[in-house]
Each structure stands twice: as structure tokens, then as C-alpha cells.
């Protein structure tokens, strides 16, 4: 069983400034501080987002959480990072600066999956671009240090969390150091920060130096040597990466040009660093999960130089994410180490209720004077009912940040928030746009075995199949939906978060409740692909699960007298995807009359499993050696454009590229005017320069319509997840049965239905 923290989140003695009470808004200027009677701030939070006092914005949660502990908290939002002046606007904080890039990674916020500059920012008033720098965590930390050199700086949020060890950086196409080295901050807090940050704040307030705070879960810091009384394990004893040519010693000298660098081939693989004690695996009794044990990872210089070691490191890192059994991690960068304590203990239901029950104003700060903030407009009537995801989709970083253990709120807390929305949100129309989280239907779903939950190291609880220990009873979710839609004044409760359909089919009652009461005409789900190769790297289910869900969805929609459709998400150019895989997916789309207006190319976000595969071309989901077969990866710009074009096979602007590729693959038979062809021959019905939105301005939301069950009927006749019969010129279109996740992560380039509304229908052509 996962241990209970020594002090619950709201059980700390309040700091003396509690006497000031809760502020209407956390102050963003000296004038606002004066109105509150403050002469200084105890803690100043710096964020790359506009300040919206809503529990969907990280800084609002952290700020209100620290305020509830009795601290005076100020916010510096979207400061001018070109000088230190903006960082001195609230004066010197008494305890520390807390720095985050915002709700999104700043690089993903700025650039598309094809590294093209975006021209908007949904977290900025009037959707303006340019209000935060690239790598905002680094820039903000530097200015805080310039403003007040002696004040500790603690970094956190999604950007810092996913860069906590040496990591592949897509934008520079190289392996970068841990962000803590580049930022020169005093501490990094990874994951959801409430528990570790509250403890750090109280200990600093009690006079402890930040240099001496080394034992808090969920924190990372720099050190010259391993912590005293901790025993170490060499990561290669846990998962030997195999002989590497030339053989580097990942735990000797790190400099490729140092004295030992020329002797790597002769260096013993398990040579001990002088500053740490490394014991071979299995020595003595088996270590207990809660004992003080750390894993020494290959050094930064080694993972930068050797992709096999990078894949190995990624594999070890992802095995150490369960807070019940995770060990500390240690990685050398030059003459120092980054030390990562085990992840923080998840919040209990009572603690989650406390966090979401804080006195949020639920609107943007008044200083914006009514300017539109698109991210707020999207979520102002949505409610986060849980955290975490046990799906383990390799392209998604939710697990690396929030963890696999689901942390759910009580039904009472959620219903109370609906009442608050009715009272506080201007212009509320009676429609709740979402009751969800990373995945809509994981509310209160957890491992049924406390022992298994505390010791399991699986990357996914539902891949390749649903674990026998996993609870799939959707009763709490169904009862929540039913109670929410009965509240007076509520016209509709919509579900906008992604639905995990392979879980949903385990409890058809949930599909019925969803289809009959909570869909505004369209429901988004995420098959991601149809082919076994990419699906196995994605850790996603085969298409049989999709067809079973669709059968239930159509059945219950019809019973309710509603015409409703599924909006599918697919990823192009994902690691493991060949050109032929994309052709087969395009054939499946055409066969089922899908037309996608906007599609998503794979985006290698930091620390995700799929990103490690992208960088190394090795399948780090399994043991990796130098003999491991290379995974196909679409890295070239032309190939990525082709994969994306094949998802929009119906767009004339894409036909020349598709024709050329089909000819090169020996699939010219798919060029023609018959129903089995993918694109017409050159000149046949082509509207030169008038493609349907391709390459012209801003793409419209995806409107995909599924018009029949022909494919389902064929698959069902062959056993559901069985591969469908071969089509002329194609290979099977569905993989083996497996479990995967519908990621609730918001994708910048993916299609999304407008919450609370029904998109205009578009007819899909036959053939």
C-alpha cells in the first residue's frame, strides 16, 4: 500500500500572515498589495500565462494553496523578460520565487509539430503571440536571480517537470542537460506540486536553508555526491543495455575528451565513481520499495553520445514513476549530479476536495479589462474531476507529470463547483462544457489490490490488455453524471475530455449514459491509427475495440432518438509508422467515409516514451541492445508531409505528393477513379491551387462523419479485433487486441469539437 504522508496537506500550522485572509485576487502590483495591507510578499509566483483565478490554471491552484497555508502570495504574470525590472514589481519576496513557463511548455506553445512559428497564444489576452520567451523557465529564473540574488528560486510546472533529467530536445535536435543546470535554480519540483511545495514553504518559513532541504518527495536538486545513508544501484544491473561498440563506461569520467576518455574500451563497465557507492543488484536481501535506495543513471555526456544508452536511460526512468516503489534517481552532469527524489505521494480525495474548494474568483484578473483569453473561454464552465492517467500512451507525457494513480474528487465537491459556476461565471447559459480530466472515464478507477498498486512497474494498466487488478466499474462516474444533470438550472452536462473507449466497453451502462445524455452531436475519441506497427509503439488498442464502442454508441444513440457521430483522432508520422501503414490508414478512412479537416503530426515532447523512440530509433518500451532492430521513424520533412497528406487524401492539394509516393511504392493501382482507388489520376477533377484549406490560412475544426458499419460487420465476423480481410493492394488494417488510452491531453494541432456546441455538419462524399 502506498504510504500515507506524515502531514496532510491542510494540517500544517498556518503561517502568521493568515490574519490577512483570502484576497479577492492574488496581487499583481504594489497598489494591489497596499489595498490588502501588505508591506511585502512571502512568495512571488512568476508565470508565462495570463493570471486567471481558476482551478484549471496551475498558478491559481498553487497561489491559492499557499495562501490557504497563511502565506502572502503575489503573482507576476507574463513579465517583460528583457530586463530585471518587471521581476522587481512586487519587491523582494521573503521566502522564494516560484517560476513556471505556464500551463503549456513554452516551446510547444510557440512552435507547431513541424517547427513552424505559431502566431497566437491561447493563454494571453487577445490571443497575442510573443508575451513569453522561448524556454521561459530559463529566462524567468535568470531575471529573478538578477533582481534579488539571495532569494531562492524554485522552478516547476510542465516545462520544468518534463526536463528534469537529460532529455532529447526536438527544437534543437540534440540532447540537453537537465533544466535545473541551465536555469541555475535552487530546486525543481516535478509533477503536481501542492504537497512538496507546501512542505518546502513551511520549512523555509521556519528558518531552514533551501540548501539543506533534501528529503522531500517530488523535488530535484544539484549535489556533489550521493546523499548520506542512501545505497546505490547501477542502472545497467537492472536492465543491461548490452555491449556497445565502442564500449563506454557510463559511470566513469563523463568528459569524452578527459584522460579516461581514450580508454573507454578497456574500462570495466561497473567501475564505481569515487563519489558514490554502487552495489551490484541482488547483493544481500531484496530491497524494500520504501528503503533509501537510488539508481545511478548513465551520465549526460554518455546519453548525449550514445543512443542505446539514451534508450536505456529512458526505460529505467519510466520504470521509476510509481510513488509506492520508485527509487531516487541520480545522473551526473560534469562534476555534479542531478538528484531526483521519488515522486510525491498522490493526494487523497479529501485533499483533492480541499484544493478545488479554495476561494477562486473563476475569472481573469480585472486588469485585463474584458480582453478575451481563449484558454479561459474554453474551460470557464468545465470541471476537473480527477488527475492522472494509467493508459500509458507512449506519445503522451501525462504519466511523467501527473502519474498513473488516479486522484479523484468526491461527488459532493464536484456538485458544489457546479453551483459555484452558476453563481460566479458571467453569462452562464446552463451548459457545463466538460466533467473530465486527462481521460474522461477514469474517475475513481484504481487498482483493486493495494499491494499491487504500491509495487507495480507496468507502463500501462491496460496495455497490452486490461490488468486483472484494475477496477473497470464505472458506477461512480455514472452516478456523478446523473446527479450533475439533475441540478436545477443545468440544461446540459457535456463530456469534452477524451473517452477511453476500451475501458468504456467493459461497462456498457457508461456508454448508454454518455450517448443518451452527454454528447452534443459529436464525441471525440482517439484510435490514433489502424495498423499494428504504430499501435504497438503507441501502446494503443486495435480497431476491434473502436468498433465495439461504436456499436454500443450507435445503439444507445438510436434508442434515445439522436443522430450522433464519433470524431476520431489520428496521428501521422508517429514512430513505428511506415509509408505503407499510412496508405492503409488512408484506405480505411476512405472505405468508412471519413474526411478529416485537420490532422496531427507526431510532436516529440520531452521525456515521452515515443520521443525516446523518435530520437534513438530503438524501441525503449522493451530491452534495448546494440543489436536491437531499428524502428522506422518518419523524420524527414517530405516524409512527414506525406504522412499528413495521406490522412487528408480527399484534399486535391495533396494529390500530387500522394501520387508520387504511391508510384514509388509500387501502388499505382491506387491511383484512379474506381472506388478502390485512393486518389484520381492527374488532371481528373483536380482544382489547381484550390485545395480544401490545405496551406491556406488557419484550418477549420475537424468535422468527421462516419456513415456506416460495413467495416465493423467484417471485423465482427472475424472475431472483433481480428485482422480484416486483405483488400486489393493492401495489407491487413487492424492489429492484435490490445489496450490503449484516449489521451485527454489537448493537442495544439489536433482537431477538437467546440465545447458545448455542435459543429456544422458536412456531408461526406460516397465512394
Amino acid at each position: 500500500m502506498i504510504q500515507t504522508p506524515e502531514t496532510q496537506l491542510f494540517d500544517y500550522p498556518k503561517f502568521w500572515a493568515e490574519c490577512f485572509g483570502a484576497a479577492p485576487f492574488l496581487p499583481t502590483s504594489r497598489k494591489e498589495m497596499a489595498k490588502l495591507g501588505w508591506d511585502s510578499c512571502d512568495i512571488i509566483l512568476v508565470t508565462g500565462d495570463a493570471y486567471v483565478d481558476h482551478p484549471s490554471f496551475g498558478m491559481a491552484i498553487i497561489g491559492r494553496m499557499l495562501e490557504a497555508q497563511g502565506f502572502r502570495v503575489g503573482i507576476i504574470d507574463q513579465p517583460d523578460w528583457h530586463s530585471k525590472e518587471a521581476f522587481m514589481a512586487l519587491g523582494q519576496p521573503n521566502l522564494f520565487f516560484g517560476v513556471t513557463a505556464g500551463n503549456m511548455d513554452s516551446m510547444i506553445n510557440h512552435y507547431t509539430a513541424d517547427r513552424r512559428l505559431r502566431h497566437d497564444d491561447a493563454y494571453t489576452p487577445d490571443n497575442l503571440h510573443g508575451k513569453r520567451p522561448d524556454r521561459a523557465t530559463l529566462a524567468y529564473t535568470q531575471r529573478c536571480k538578477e533582481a534579488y540574488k539571495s532569494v531562492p528560486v524554485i522552478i516547476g510546472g510542465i516545462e520544468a517537470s518534463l526536463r528534469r533529467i537529460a532529455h532529447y530536445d526536438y527544437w534543437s535536435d540534440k540532447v540537453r542537460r537537465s533544466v535545473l543546470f541551465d536555469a541555475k535554480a535552487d530546486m525543481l519540483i516535478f509533477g503536481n506540486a501542492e504537497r512538496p511545495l507546501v512542505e518546502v514553504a513551511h520549512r523555509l518559513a521556519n528558518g531552514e536553508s533551501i540548501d539543506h532541504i533534501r528529503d522531500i518527495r517530488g523535488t530535484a536538486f544539484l549535489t556533489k555526491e550521493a546523499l548520506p545513508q542512501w545505497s546505490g544501484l547501477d542502472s545497467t544491473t537492472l536492465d543491461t543495455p548490452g555491449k556497445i561498440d565502442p564500449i563506454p563506461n557510463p559511470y566513469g569520467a563523463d568528459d569524452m575528451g578527459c584522460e579516461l576518455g581514450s580508454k573507454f574500451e578497456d574500462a570495466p563497465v561497473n567501475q564505481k565513481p569515487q563519489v558514490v557507492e554502487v552495489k551490484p543488484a541482488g547483493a544481500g536481501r531484496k530491497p524494500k520499495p520504501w528503503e533509501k535506495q537510488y539508481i545511478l543513471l548513465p551520465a549526460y555526456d554518455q546519453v548525449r553520445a550514445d543512443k542505446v544508452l539514451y534508450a536505456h536511460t529512458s526505460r529505467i526512468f519510466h520504470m521509476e514513476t510509481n510513488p509506492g516503489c520508485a527509487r531516487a534517481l541520480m545522473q551526473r552532469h560534469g562534476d555534479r549530479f542531478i538528484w531526483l527524489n521519488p515522486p510525491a505521494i498522490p493526494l487523497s480525495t479529501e485533499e483533492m476536495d480541499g484544493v478545488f474548494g479554495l476561494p477562486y474568483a473563476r475569472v481573469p484578473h480585472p486588469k485585463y479589462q474584458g480582453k478575451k483569453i481563449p484558454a479561459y473561454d474554453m474551460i470557464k464552465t468545465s470541471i476537473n474531476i480527477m488527475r492522472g492517467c494509467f493508459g500509458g500512451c507512449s506519445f503522451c507525457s501525462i504519466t511523467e507529470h501527473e502519474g498513473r494513480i488516479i486522484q479523484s474528487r468526491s461527488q459532493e465537491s464536484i456538485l458544489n463547483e457546479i453551483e459555484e459556476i452558476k453563481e460566479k461565471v458571467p453569462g452562464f447559459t446552463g451548459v457545463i462544457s466538460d466533467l473530465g480530466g486527462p481521460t474522461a472515464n477514469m474517475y475513481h478507477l484504481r487498482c483493486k489490490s493495494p499491494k499491487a498498486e504500491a509495487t507495480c512497474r507496468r507502463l500501462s494498466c491496460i496495455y497490452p490488455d486490461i490488468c486483472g487488478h484494475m477496477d473497470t466499474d464505472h458506477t461512480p462516474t455514472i452516478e456523478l453524471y446523473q446527479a450533475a444533470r439533475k441540478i436545477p438550472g443545468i440544461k446540459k452536462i457535456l463530456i469534452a475530455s477524451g473517452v477511453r473507449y476500451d475501458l468504456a466497453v467493459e461497462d456498457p451502462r457508461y456508454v448508454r449514459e454518455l450517448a443518451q445524455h452527454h454528447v452534443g452531436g459529436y464525441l471525440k475519441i482517439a484510435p490514433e491509427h489502424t495498423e499494428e506497427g504504430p499501435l504497438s509503439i503507441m501502446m494503443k488498442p486495435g480497431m476491434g475495440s473502436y468498433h465495439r464502442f461504436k456499436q454500443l454508441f450507435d445503439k444507445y444513440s438510436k434508442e434515445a432518438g439522436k443522430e450522433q457521430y464519433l470524431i476520431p483522432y489520428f496521428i501521422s508520422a508517429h514512430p513505428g509508422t511506415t509509408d505503407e501503414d499510412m496508405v492503409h490508414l488512408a484506405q480505411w478512412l476512405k472505405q468508412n467515409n471519413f474526411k478529416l479537416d485537420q490532422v496531427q503530426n507526431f510532436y516529440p515532447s520531452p521525456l515521452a516514451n515515443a520521443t525516446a523512440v523518435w530520437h534513438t530509433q530503438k524501441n525503449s518500451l522493451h530491452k534495448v541492445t546494440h543489436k536491437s532492430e531499428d524502428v522506422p521513424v518518419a523524420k524527414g520533412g517530405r516524409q512527414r508531409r506525406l504522412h499528413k497528406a495521406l490522412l487528408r487524401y480527399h484534399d486535391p492539394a495533396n494529390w500530387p505528393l500522394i501520387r508520387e509516393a504511391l508510384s514509388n511504392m509500387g501502388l499505382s493501382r491506387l491511383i484512379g477513379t474506381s472506388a478502390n482507388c485512393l486518389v484520381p489520376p492527374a488532371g481528373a477533377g483536380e482544382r489547381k491551387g484550390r485545395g480544401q484549406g490545405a496551406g491556406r490560412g488557419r484550418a477549420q475544426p475537424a468535422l468527421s462523419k462516419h456513415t456506416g458499419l460495413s467495416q465493423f460487420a467484417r471485423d465482427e465476423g472475424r472475431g472483433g479485433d481480428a485482422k480484416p480481410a486483405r483488400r486489393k493492394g493492401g495489407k491487413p488494417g487492424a492489429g492484435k487486441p490490445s489496450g490503449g488510452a484516449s489521451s485527454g491531453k489537448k493537442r495544439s494541432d489536433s482537431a477538437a469539437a467546440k465545447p458545448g456546441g455542435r459543429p456544422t455538419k458536412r456531408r461526406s462524399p460516397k465512394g
Side-chain angles (χ1 to χ4, degrees):
M1 185 174 183
I2 294 176
Q3 66 189 80
T4 303
E6 292 183 7
T7 306
Q8 295 294 314
L9 201 55
F10 292 92
D11 288 349
Y12 288 89
K14 299 292 190 293
F15 191 60
W16 71 265
E18 179 196 14
C19 60
F20 287 101
F25 287 88
L26 302 178
T28 63
S29 67
R30 290 288 190 106
K31 183 178 180 181
E32 293 172 47
M33 289 170 58
K35 287 184 178 179
L36 296 171
W38 299 4
D39 60 350
S40 63
C41 291
D42 301 308
I43 299 162
I44 295 176
L45 304 178
V46 181
T47 176
D49 294 337
Y51 171 32
V52 179
D53 200 47
H54 187 286
S56 288
F57 286 73
M59 276 300 93
I61 288 183
I62 293 302
R64 290 297 187 181
M65 185 72 245
L66 291 169
E67 179 188 61
Q69 303 293 322
F71 299 106
R72 294 168 294 178
V73 183
I75 287 188
I76 298 177
D77 55 297
Q78 299 191 315
D80 180 356
W81 66 92
H82 295 96
S83 69
K84 65 181 181 181
E85 277 69 29
F87 296 79
M88 304 174 73
L90 302 181
Q92 179 172 328
N94 301 320
L95 298 178
F96 64 89
F97 278 109
V99 169
T100 177
N103 271 19
M104 284 182 68
D105 182 287
S106 63
M107 300 302 287
I108 295 176
N109 179 278
H110 282 176
Y111 300 96
T112 70
D114 296 318
R115 298 192 183 100
R116 294 179 179 174
L117 185 67
R118 302 185 195 275
H119 299 289
D120 53 15
D121 185 343
Y123 291 90
T124 299
D126 287 340
N127 204 22
L128 295 177
H129 173 81
K131 290 294 186 179
R132 79 185 85 211
D134 285 358
R135 309 189 192 283
T137 301
L138 306 185
Y140 292 163
T141 302
Q142 179 183 352
R143 294 301 182 229
C144 288
K145 287 292 187 181
E146 288 179 8
Y148 303 105
K149 187 176 181 180
S150 62
V151 175
V153 177
I154 301 174
I155 58 176
I158 192 78
E159 180 167 285
S161 185
L162 299 185
R163 287 172 166 78
R164 56 189 185 263
I165 64 170
H167 58 281
Y168 172 71
D169 182 78
Y170 174 60
W171 302 272
S172 59
D173 192 26
K174 67 180 183 181
V175 176
R176 291 179 64 98
R177 302 191 301 175
S178 163
V179 68
L180 197 55
F181 282 89
D182 290 337
K184 297 179 174 58
D186 298 277
M187 179 180 285
L188 184 156
I189 294 181
F190 57 89
N192 294 118
E194 292 96 343
R195 195 183 302 286
L197 190 58
V198 164
E199 183 173 351
V200 169
H202 281 291
R203 287 172 65 168
L204 289 175
N206 289 332
E208 196 168 345
S209 168
I210 196 166
D211 294 333
H212 296 156
I213 300 177
R214 294 290 183 261
D215 58 342
I216 298 179
R217 283 173 161 265
T219 62
F221 47 85
L222 305 183
T223 180
K224 287 283 188 179
E225 58 187 6
L227 299 187
Q229 301 179 347
W230 284 70
S231 62
L233 284 175
D234 179 322
S235 71
T236 59
T237 65
L238 301 175
D239 192 69
T240 306
K243 182 179 178 181
I244 302 162
D245 188 21
I247 302 173
N249 175 9
Y251 309 111
D254 297 302
D255 249 341
M256 301 302 284
C258 66
E259 181 180 354
L260 186 58
S262 61
K263 302 178 182 179
F264 272 140
E265 294 189 14
D266 300 323
V269 172
N270 292 324
Q271 177 176 330
K272 301 175 185 177
Q274 296 180 355
V275 294
V276 293
E277 178 186 5
V278 180
K279 298 180 180 179
R285 64 180 179 81
K286 184 178 180 180
K288 301 295 183 182
W290 54 85
E291 289 185 323
K292 291 188 173 182
Q293 188 177 75
Y294 69 89
I295 298 174
L296 186 62
L297 299 173
Y300 160 68
D301 282 322
Q302 300 304 310
V303 298
R304 181 182 61 175
D306 193 303
K307 291 184 177 180
V308 173
L309 278 180
Y310 185 97
H312 160 77
T313 301
S314 174
R315 181 164 165 74
I316 295 297
F317 172 84
H318 285 91
M319 289 170 61
E320 300 297 329
T321 56
N322 183 343
C325 62
R327 290 161 283 200
L329 299 176
M330 187 173 176
Q331 185 179 51
R332 179 183 285 186
H333 290 58
D335 62 350
R336 290 183 296 171
F337 295 86
I338 176 78
W339 177 283
L340 282 76
N341 280 316
I345 297 170
L347 300 187
S348 66
T349 294
E350 293 73 23
E351 289 174 317
M352 285 284 286
D353 288 353
V355 168
F356 285 88
L358 295 170
Y360 304 99
R362 304 195 71 88
V363 293
H365 192 281
K367 69 179 181 179
Y368 302 124
Q369 299 179 342
K371 292 180 180 178
K372 293 289 185 181
I373 302 175
Y376 167 70
D377 290 337
M378 179 179 290
I379 56 83
K380 63 183 178 183
T381 62
S382 72
I383 296 176
N384 197 329
I385 64 175
M386 45 76 70
R387 287 179 181 168
C389 181
F390 50 75
C393 297
S394 66
F395 52 81
C396 177
S397 299
I398 289 174
T399 299
E400 287 80 1
H401 187 63
E402 295 192 2
R404 277 187 289 278
I405 294 175
I406 303 302
Q407 303 160 71
S408 300
R409 299 167 59 186
S410 69
Q411 182 182 123
E412 181 183 8
S413 169
I414 296 165
L415 299 183
N416 286 341
E417 186 168 350
I418 293 177
E419 295 290 353
E420 274 202 19
I421 289 175
K422 288 169 56 179
E423 296 174 6
K424 292 185 176 181
V425 175
F428 178 62
T429 62
V431 177
I432 297 295
S433 60
D434 188 27
L435 288 182
T439 304
N441 58 319
M442 288 187 181
Y443 178 67
H444 276 297
L445 296 187
R446 287 184 63 165
C447 186
K448 292 182 287 188
S449 167
K451 182 178 180 180
E453 183 179 66
T455 57
C456 181
R457 296 181 186 275
R458 282 183 58 165
L459 297 180
S460 169
C461 300
I462 44 183
Y463 182 88
D465 48 31
I466 299 176
C467 176
H469 290 303
M470 177 51 62
D471 183 9
T472 59
D473 181 4
H474 285 58
T475 298
T477 312
I478 296 169
E479 291 178 348
L480 170 64
Y481 289 3
Q482 291 173 342
R485 60 185 169 86
K486 291 178 182 177
I487 294 177
I490 297 300
K491 299 176 183 177
K492 188 79 172 179
I493 301 285
L494 293 169
I495 304 304
S497 297
V499 172
R500 181 73 191 218
Y501 55 82
D502 55 338
L503 273 177
V505 297
E506 296 294 314
D507 195 338
R509 299 173 305 147
Y510 174 77
V511 184
R512 180 175 57 204
E513 172 70 21
L514 180 70
Q516 295 187 350
H517 299 286
H518 305 286
V519 176
Y522 293 84
L523 177 70
K524 63 181 182 180
I525 58 172
E528 310 295 5
H529 217 285
T530 58
E531 304 304 295
E532 185 174 4
L535 286 173
S536 66
I537 300 294
M538 294 175 178
M539 300 176 69
K540 291 286 295 183
M543 291 303 289
S545 298
Y546 162 80
H547 293 309
R548 285 195 291 274
F549 178 81
K550 187 184 186 310
Q551 183 188 42
L552 290 172
F553 181 79
D554 287 348
K555 173 186 174 182
Y556 294 129
S557 295
K558 185 176 180 180
E559 285 181 3
K562 296 182 176 182
E563 184 181 5
Q564 300 183 142
Y565 303 97
L566 299 179
I567 296 182
Y569 286 170
F570 296 96
I571 298 179
S572 54
H574 191 279
T577 308
T578 64
D579 295 351
E580 289 79 7
D581 289 332
M582 291 306 303
V583 170
H584 297 141
L585 172 53
Q587 289 178 288
W588 186 91
L589 291 170
K590 184 172 183 180
Q591 188 177 45
N592 289 278
N593 289 330
F594 277 106
K595 292 180 64 179
L596 309 182
D597 283 357
Q598 191 177 31
V599 297
Q600 169 73 58
N601 250 346
F602 171 67
Y603 207 144
S605 57
L607 280 195
N609 268 310
T611 301
V613 180
W614 165 274
H615 170 56
T616 65
Q617 294 183 254
K618 301 292 182 182
N619 187 356
S620 55
L621 301 175
H622 303 287
K623 185 181 179 68
V624 176
T625 72
H626 75 291
K627 294 181 179 179
S628 298
E629 185 177 347
D630 283 352
V631 175
V633 175
K635 287 191 174 183
R638 183 176 179 80
Q639 191 178 19
R640 282 172 66 82
R641 288 194 299 273
L642 171 63
H643 285 202
K644 196 169 183 178
L646 283 164
L647 281 184
R648 302 197 69 247
Y649 65 91
H650 55 280
D651 188 341
N654 294 325
W655 291 347
L657 180 60
I658 295 174
R659 286 192 200 103
E660 181 183 356
L662 292 176
S663 297
N664 292 339
M665 285 188 280
L667 297 175
S668 297
R669 61 186 177 277
L670 297 180
I671 304 172
T673 56
S674 69
N676 292 328
C677 292
L678 196 57
V679 294
E686 198 158 355
R687 295 173 295 169
K688 192 172 183 180
R690 295 176 61 195
Q692 300 171 13
R696 297 189 299 111
R698 191 173 179 131
Q700 296 297 313
L703 301 175
S704 304
K705 185 172 180 179
H706 192 220
T707 57
L709 277 172
S710 58
Q711 181 72 29
F712 168 73
R714 281 192 290 275
D715 283 7
E716 193 67 14
R718 295 174 58 85
D721 275 301
K723 297 179 180 180
R726 288 184 180 270
R727 298 185 293 274
K728 183 178 180 182
K731 69 177 183 179
K736 295 173 67 176
S738 56
S742 162
S743 170
K745 182 174 62 174
K746 300 235 183 334
R747 301 189 195 128
S748 53
D749 288 333
S750 65
K754 183 179 179 181
R758 178 170 178 169
T760 305
K761 289 188 190 176
R762 292 185 184 178
R763 297 181 61 83
S764 299
K766 296 181 180 180

